[in-house]
Amino acid sequence: MATTAQSHPPPTAVRRRSPGFPLQVRAALQGLLIPILSVFTAVLVGSVLILLNGRDPITAYEGLLEGAFLEPRGLLATFRNMTPLVFSGLAVAFAIKSGLFNIGVQGQLIIGSVVAAWVGYAVEGLPPLLHVTLAMLAAALAGAIWGAIPGALKAYTDAHEVITTIMLNYIAISFAGWLISTGSADGTIKPGPFASPASAEDAIARTPDILESAKLPVIYSVPPNFDLHIGIFLAIITTILITFLLFRTTFGFQLRMVGYSPNAAQYAGVNVKRVIILTMAIAGLLGGMAGGIQTLGVNHRYEGNQSLGLGFDGITVAFLAGNSALGVNISAFLFGAMEAGTTRMARSADVAIELIQVLQATILMLVAADQIVRRLYRIREVGEGRARQSSGASAGKDG
Amino acid sequence: MGEVELGLAIVATINAAIRFSIPITLGALSGIMSERSGIVNIGIEGMMLMAAFTGFMTNVYLSEPGVSETLQSAPVRLALSLAVAMLTGGAMGLLHALLSIQYKVNQIISGTVINILAVGLTGYFYAGDTSTLGKLPNLISNPWPKSSASELVLRDNFSFFLPHDIGRILFDKDLITYLTFALVLVFGWTLFNTTWGLRTRSVGENPRAADTLGINVFRVQYTNLFLGGMLAGLGGAFLSLAAVGVFERNMTTGRGFIALAVMIFGNWRPSGALWGALLFGFAMALQGQLQQFGINFPHQLVGMLPYILTIVVLAGFVGRAQPPAFAGQTYEQE
């Protein structure tokens, strides 16, 4: 009897639960509740892991919070860390709106970093503001080209972007590695074209340091060696621009249309190939800017092993945010805070910094598999009659 | 070319190529196993890393003083370590299945979760400062000594010792290496000649039709992901129990992703994957050996070649890669 009622609800059986809130508000609240509960659950899982290693979770999380928000430079470090993550997160979230998985942010970021460093040290005699702008634009353009390649491959040969972007990540690592390579000791292999002359002596592959005029302006300094650059504002401005592009322009409309149904878009007269290539180019541009920001604002040169992982973190950041541009800023803030707090956590509670990655993976898993969280905390879905957002639950559905 | 021993360098390169290709082949087999049943698996990297870790740690625990001698004897200790590694891989495969089938998580996201989780968990629990009683020994050692070999001189500094040099390629390898070649044959045959293979392929191509014919789609997928995870686990075990013999943080360094490239390169066929893996392995080996051959060329640029080649293959410029039709989509039973 009960089962029949469930599968075919009679029209009179209007469910009355938590009166007062309209459906949309409840749905929006749940949209926030699931990520928050996911973070909470991940913290609990982390505590268990810390206990397993015989350490104290309270001290560890205290250290994490202090490092992320309280220390003289805590909150500032969080802001600085979140900046590239906003860009790399947007690079993933933006592409997903048209149904494309940009796993290639890492490569776009590397290319952006190394090109920014090159313009930063090689172009001389420019006024500061112009120089840093030029370097940033070069990074963005290089990232855009790097991103457009898998876009074009997808559009014209139907090569799956997930694999091509992963391949391009490795090509970027090797290519940038060659650009800054030190050459062989006996001189038979020449150093890479961007290699610093000084690296011949200490054998650390890197570009020369960028000129003062190419460094991102600093808005706040904490002695002895911490500077917060203006990147955080660039991130906010970019977020607004991307949101505008997505929801207030014809191109954004076409892009989202392709995301929902490429066939329908095609019939409606959208040039799907062009949309795919442009989307990947813009996603690559954002990835390139993530790299440019790190080079011009923090590292001041390109070295092989810098900012590894920032691009991959972008995937997690974007999915945690349900691919909304505003949400990307919030989850980037969360990740930036975690990163800022790890050193302090490791120091005060003797907990390995890799704990953060476990937390991040757990958060991502719980957000993606929201059924787990719903079951754990007994949350019913809003409007049960609605078709379940299955595989695309986090892929390009909500803004 | 001076003092370069060409014959020596060629044998060394071939051996290095084989060594590089083993984990990649196993990873590619793992990928074929799951994609043929319709589940895209980009978590192979994480499965390998996790298995490399647990297999190695088992070896470490069993090597500690105080453990009974039967457990410490090389065959038992290493067999247990291998089993733990493979089961770990299998468990990760099941996690991927659970997330992507039961909870309908996007398969790319689920794979990403596994990759980050593996980096995090292994990094968190690995303390360093470990020692073991030894790694997997060579199964058969070279029966042809150099002293009794005849030298085949092709040119100055270019000579082979026959059959000694052939023996160095054929023998002096561990169990997993031989097992991998056997697995390629077995898997290749079963995929196209058994009921299991037919079911797997039909689920990957058209789950609705398979379902209609009474095949339990989800069971096939769960089984294949478990088996595929075990293959990836074996690949991880090769790194930490055979090739290197110790665990290092992030020691898989992208091999799981390269395996995916190789899988595509081999057009989702086990034998194709083996050839692809040998080609990739050769390019990786060449990177380290270029100077041995007296070639002065930046190794980074050589390192790019396999990846470019994969894109070329994927784009259909050479041959045509044809993935299983349903791979990557969530099947909803009606």
Side-chain angles (χ1 to χ4, degrees), chain A residues 96-97 101 318-323 367-369 389-398, chain B residues 105-106 109:
Chain A
I96 277 193
K97 288 280 188 272
F101 264 114
F319 285 132
L320 181 58
N323 300 309
V367 170
Q389 299 185 353
S390 58
S391 64
S394 27
K397 284 284 159 67
D398 38 4
Chain B
V105 174
N106 183 299
I109 301 179

Side-chain angles (χ1 to χ4, degrees), chain A residues 113-124 131-132 134-136 138 207-215 295-296 300:
Chain A
S113 299
V114 75
V115 167
W118 175 57
V119 175
Y121 79 79
V123 180
E124 286 172 27
H131 193 182
V132 72
L134 184 72
M136 201 63 198
T207 64
D209 285 0
I210 60 172
L211 305 174
E212 280 301 319
S213 55
K215 290 181 181 169
T295 297
L296 304 174
H300 299 142

Side-chain angles (χ1 to χ4, degrees), chain A residues 115-347:
Chain A
V115 167
W118 175 57
V119 175
Y121 79 79
V123 180
E124 286 172 27
L126 285 181
L129 210 57
L130 191 63
H131 193 182
V132 72
T133 311
L134 184 72
M136 201 63 198
L137 286 177
L141 183 69
I145 293 171
W146 206 256
I149 298 172
L153 287 168
K154 169 93 176 179
Y156 290 108
T157 73
D158 208 26
H160 203 292
E161 78 280 2
V162 167
I163 307 290
T164 51
T165 50
I166 290 175
M167 294 303 112
L168 281 163
N169 285 343
Y170 286 105
I171 295 173
I173 292 170
S174 292
F175 185 63
W178 169 67
L179 287 175
I180 60 165
S181 60
T182 51
S184 62
D186 57 2
T188 46
I189 299 177
K190 277 186 279 182
F194 293 1
S196 160
S199 65
E201 285 145 39
D202 51 18
I204 298 171
R206 57 166 188 267
T207 64
D209 285 0
I210 60 172
L211 305 174
E212 280 301 319
S213 55
K215 290 181 181 169
L216 277 176
V218 171
I219 43 178
Y220 197 86
S221 285
V222 180
N225 54 11
F226 181 86
D227 292 321
L228 179 66
H229 57 74
I230 58 157
I232 185 72
F233 297 114
L234 291 180
I236 292 167
I237 294 167
T238 309
T239 306
I240 295 167
L241 287 178
I242 287 291
T243 312
F244 182 81
L245 178 66
L246 274 174
F247 297 101
R248 290 285 179 274
T249 64
T250 315
F251 174 71
F253 179 70
Q254 291 181 341
L255 184 155
R256 286 181 292 129
M257 206 164 154
V258 170
Y260 279 112
S261 165
N263 288 336
Q266 184 91 53
Y267 283 125
V270 175
N271 186 341
V272 176
K273 286 187 176 27
R274 181 175 156 269
V275 169
I276 287 177
I277 298 171
L278 255 180
T279 305
M280 281 305 292
I282 293 171
L285 178 135
L286 293 166
M289 284 181 80
I293 294 255
Q294 278 312 82
T295 297
L296 304 174
V298 181
N299 301 322
H300 299 142
R301 66 184 183 203
Y302 177 78
E303 243 179 67
N305 290 331
Q306 277 167 349
S307 38
L308 279 178
L310 278 178
F312 287 115
D313 286 351
I315 301 168
T316 322
V317 164
F319 285 132
L320 181 58
N323 300 309
S324 93
L326 178 67
V328 161
N329 281 263
I330 300 172
S331 55
F333 177 78
L334 182 72
F335 274 45
M338 283 190 190
E339 211 179 300
T342 42
T343 351
R344 182 60 183 268
M345 175 192 77
R347 199 159 13 108

Side-chain angles (χ1 to χ4, degrees), chain A residues 49-50 157 170 178 354 390-391, chain B residues 124 249 254 298 300 315 330 332:
Chain A
L49 288 181
I50 296 170
T157 73
Y170 286 105
W178 169 67
E354 280 82 1
S390 58
S391 64
Chain B
Y124 178 72
R249 286 197 168 101
Q300 292 93 345
T330 307
E332 302 245 18

Side-chain angles (χ1 to χ4, degrees), chain B residues 9 19 76 88 115 120 243 303:
Chain B
R19 201 170 52 244
V76 179
T88 306
N115 287 336

